Amino acid sequence: MRLGSLTFIIAALFLVSACETMDEKGGADTSGLKAKTYDSKSFYVAPGTARDFVVNVGDRVFFALDKSSLSSESRSMLEKQIAWLKKYGGVNVVVEGHCDERGTREYNLALGERRANAVKDFLVAMGISPNRVKVISYGKERPAALGHNEASWKQNRRAVTVVAGS
Amino acid sequence: MRSTLSISIVIHVLVITISIFGLPFLYKAPAKQQKPMVVEVVSIGNKTELPKPAKKDTSKQVKEKKENIIKKKVKKLPQPSIKPIPQNKRTETVSLRKKTKKKTPKVKQKKLKSKTGFTKLARVTPRRKPKPPDPFESVLRNLAQDFDKKTVKKVYKTPKEDKKSKKSDFEAKIAKILANNSTTESETDKVTMTEMDAMINTIRTSIRPCWNLQPGAKGAEDIVVVVRAYLTPDGRVKRAWVANRDLLVNDPFKLAAAETAQRAILNEACQPFRLDPRKYAIWRDVTLNFNPSEMFGK
Amino acid sequence: MMEKIVLFFRDRDAIILAIVAIVLSITSAKAELKVDITRGTVKALPVAVANFVGTNKKEVELGKSITSVISSDLERSGLFRPISQKAFIETEKSLDILPKFQNWRILNVQAMVQGSIVILEGKNIKVQFRLWDVFSQRQMVGQVYTTVISNWRRIAHIIADAIYKRVTGENGYFDTRVVYIAETGSQIRRIKRLAIMDQDSENHHFLTDGKFLILTPRFSPNRQEITYMSYHGGVPRVYIFNIDTGRQEILGDFPGMTFAPRFSPDGNAVIMSMARDGNSEIYTMDLRSRRAKRLTRHSSIDTSPDYSPDGTRVVFNSDRSGTQQIYIMKSDGSDVRRITFGKGRYATPVWSPRGDLIAFTKMRRGKFFIGVIGIDGKGERLLTDGFLVESPTWSPNGRVIMFFRETPKGKFGDKKSKLFSIDLTGQNEREIITPMDASDPAWSPLIP
């Protein structure tokens, strides 16, 4: 009986922390990259981890409608990613390409692939080994922001660099 | 020429007779012996297999057979059974074929009869044909037209008016020519062009709600069905059949189009045609060309 | 002309008839009035479907069920209007009695369906039906089927197909199924499962468990197989699923994402896109030799390929002009021609089974449309529109198009997604009922 309640408490704690993490991630999603202060206050983020990358570097770049070219903003974001990747040379990443809901499914899969590759090409051009970077396209299947307006669509036309472990 | 004319008369008379007496002796006898429904029992596997060719044959046999059952008085039909086509089946088919054969030459023969006063009647129809199709009245829906309303409106308003004026011009000319002709040839039946027009229009507008078209089918706009009909003096359809059935019967889609036209003329909901009984001689025998091309936007 | 006359006179019976006719005739033939009928109406054909009769309670019940399936198939097509059975004056108790056509004429019924059911010893039933033309009082078609009782729905669909075919002249499409993607969960982590059902939404089954994303299924033209894209194991690839065995199998060993698969018309190949280094090109894969062949070579996106019914050409989607447009090429990849030049972006071309039309999705001014266009690029017609309509698929007779429609729902950016069908004429749009949200429909061929 005692053991049971103990497990329950531990489980509950886990759940709470899990929720927090989710929140932070969500916060990072919508406001871009400025969730840093809040995060580092509440939790210790181990350097070189996926969380470190998301919180302290920023994992995504955005694209214009129907485009896969990188804006100057995106380039400077990617440069930060490159610096981090160079620092933690053993870490591999997967670049996910995404689209907004205003296109057809199959074309969007191709467009997402193009976006992910635009990021990969940039990383490789700046000295990251191509073996460390994989790409995957989700088309319009995995939106980050709900809502059927330009504000949401903007956030969904994105490429997300996900740290896959070493 | 003379022989052709006599053939024509023979056939003509023949058809009228048939229409009145309904091919009496050809049908009555065989009908009694006919088995109503010779159908093969088609077995269907639990999931899929359905021997299709067998099924098709069946339906064909049944269809041909059926035509007999309908012929009068046969109320009680024997039980359906699986049987080969009986001997008399042969005579049956033959007689049916005759019927259709007769019709086709008949229509053609008519044209040879140009010496009589009926010529002008034949000439009346062509003037209907040049009527320009209005693509915007097509039964096929297109949202783009609503979507681009502004542009569409501009495009079609002017030409429509143009067409109208042109048409009336054209009509007037033709009417003049025809009117001249008619004065010289109208000894037998005194029908003016306007009366003729009125008759055609009456029939046309009466049938319109009963002609139930099938838009959307491939090639639907190209099928013209010619239906011959005999009318009673009170303007009802006594008998009607598809004159160019031979050309249509082998293609299921054409057959469907033919039957649709036939249903249109047989549909009592659209009768009687309000025609002048004094001119019965003119309109008792009608040929209708069902041509959907205009409606399908061609 | 002369030939016909000679033929005519060879017919001895005809001559006799002709002579009789002359003797009987009093007046000579009269004038013939010619009328060109150029306009009609487009209405559903009023049809009466009488309950299939039986001799015991069980047969009668089954008869009612079959009748209602036939009736709703016909009704859903939009081409028939089954009149309410309550209006019937009298129904025939047996199939072997000539119907009292006058009773049906009064109701302005133009075609009448009657049938009977006999439960045979064991598990079999014998189902008979006749279709009558009420005006001409002729039987149009009559057939008998024997099958196991559990198959009664299929019999009903097959009968509905026979009626449809006889009346319209086109093949039916009722004995078919639809495979689609069943959607559940939030939009951010949408669960997408492969599901299959009859075209009337009955017999619904899930084919996959939803662990992995599944997209864009398509039927094989001649086997119990479906091809689709799956994110199985996190690797997006084209798969083939066998409906009978439930087995799925990855198609080929490609270095990049494979997607947008369709079977070739003979069922022996799959055409699809493969993405490599961000560039999507079209490939075919022979299912027997397992050899892939590349068809397009262009730095743009080339996807959504679909064979013409004769297999000689391929229609596909490409943005090589700068925006998404539809192109046709020969099936060896040569002779590429653009067919869409209208305003807006065009996508998801699907070749009509009849061969004369391409159905597509169009995007313009923030709206989506489903439309059709001739293979020569002429005669574009938009059939329906919405916030999002996508993924047209043809009924096997090329008469009806099914697609899915997404509509925003609620305040929190959610949306619902449902299947719809629409007639080629742009009329008769109907929702196809599914137990949950649905997308990416694909219509089966007529069940073999």
Side-chain angles (χ1 to χ4, degrees), chain B residues 20-193:
Chain B
I20 293 164
F21 296 101
L23 285 178
F25 43 80
L26 280 179
Y27 278 102
K28 266 181 187 162
K32 275 175 204 152
Q33 298 152 19
Q34 281 308 309
K35 294 282 175 289
M37 195 165 173
V38 179
V39 266
E40 277 163 30
V41 179
V42 179
S43 119
I44 297 173
N46 193 2
K47 253 228 162 131
T48 42
E49 303 93 353
L50 212 183
K52 278 206 168 139
K55 199 176 89 186
K56 265 179 198 160
D57 287 352
T58 317
S59 63
K60 227 177 241 170
Q61 288 167 15
V62 171
K63 199 182 79 202
E64 282 171 5
K65 285 281 168 89
K66 246 16 250 186
E67 297 181 0
N68 310 312
I69 304 180
I70 301 149
K71 297 297 156 194
K72 299 165 198 180
K73 286 167 202 159
V74 190
K75 277 280 154 69
K76 253 278 181 348
L77 307 173
Q79 276 297 318
S81 58
I82 311 149
K83 257 194 185 176
I85 308 164
Q87 272 301 309
N88 56 357
K89 175 73 201 154
R90 242 192 93 75
T91 52
E92 187 42 39
T93 357
V94 172
S95 63
L96 280 176
R97 290 194 65 198
K98 254 182 245 155
K99 202 172 139 201
T100 37
K101 245 190 247 161
K102 280 168 218 155
K103 283 166 210 156
T104 345
K106 204 218 145 177
V107 181
K108 285 178 183 164
Q109 290 295 330
K110 274 263 140 169
K111 281 177 191 160
L112 293 179
K113 261 177 112 183
S114 49
K115 285 283 141 64
T116 59
F118 311 130
T119 353
K120 63 168 190 218
L121 306 185
R123 280 198 201 154
V124 174
T125 33
R127 70 184 282 241
R128 284 284 146 191
K129 279 186 180 160
K131 189 181 166 193
D134 183 357
F136 295 96
E137 281 190 68
S138 169
V139 288
L140 302 176
R141 190 165 165 238
N142 187 356
L143 287 183
Q145 282 163 18
D146 308 331
F147 201 59
D148 298 320
K149 234 176 203 165
K150 283 173 206 160
T151 39
V152 169
K153 259 190 183 168
K154 270 192 181 167
V155 175
Y156 90 91
K157 264 213 168 164
T158 31
K160 213 183 180 185
E161 279 160 15
D162 274 353
K163 271 179 204 164
K164 233 185 181 176
S165 58
K166 261 187 211 160
K167 203 176 88 183
S168 51
D169 226 334
F170 178 68
E171 279 184 3
K173 273 184 197 163
I174 296 267
K176 239 186 196 172
I177 296 162
L178 289 172
N180 286 340
N181 272 355
S182 68
T183 46
T184 57
E185 292 186 13
S186 63
E187 296 89 25
T188 21
D189 303 286
K190 285 184 183 168
V191 195
T192 65
M193 285 323 301

Side-chain angles (χ1 to χ4, degrees), chain A residues 72-120:
Chain A
S72 56
E73 226 173 296
S74 303
R75 282 161 195 270
S76 55
M77 164 56 67
L78 291 178
E79 274 158 15
K80 279 162 71 184
Q81 292 188 358
I82 289 159
W84 189 90
L85 285 170
K86 284 186 173 162
K87 194 171 167 192
Y88 302 104
V91 176
N92 294 335
V93 291
V94 176
V95 182
E96 297 178 354
H98 297 274
C99 306
D100 66 31
E101 63 181 359
R102 305 310 288 157
T104 46
R105 195 177 315 288
E106 290 172 338
Y107 182 83
N108 277 2
L109 286 170
L111 183 60
E113 180 83 11
R114 234 192 214 169
R115 285 176 176 162
N117 269 278
V119 169
K120 178 182 174 177

Side-chain angles (χ1 to χ4, degrees), chain B residues 6-17:
Chain B
S6 55
I7 291 167
S8 153
I9 290 167
V10 166
I11 298 166
H12 201 169
V13 163
L14 176 67
V15 172
I16 292 172
T17 323

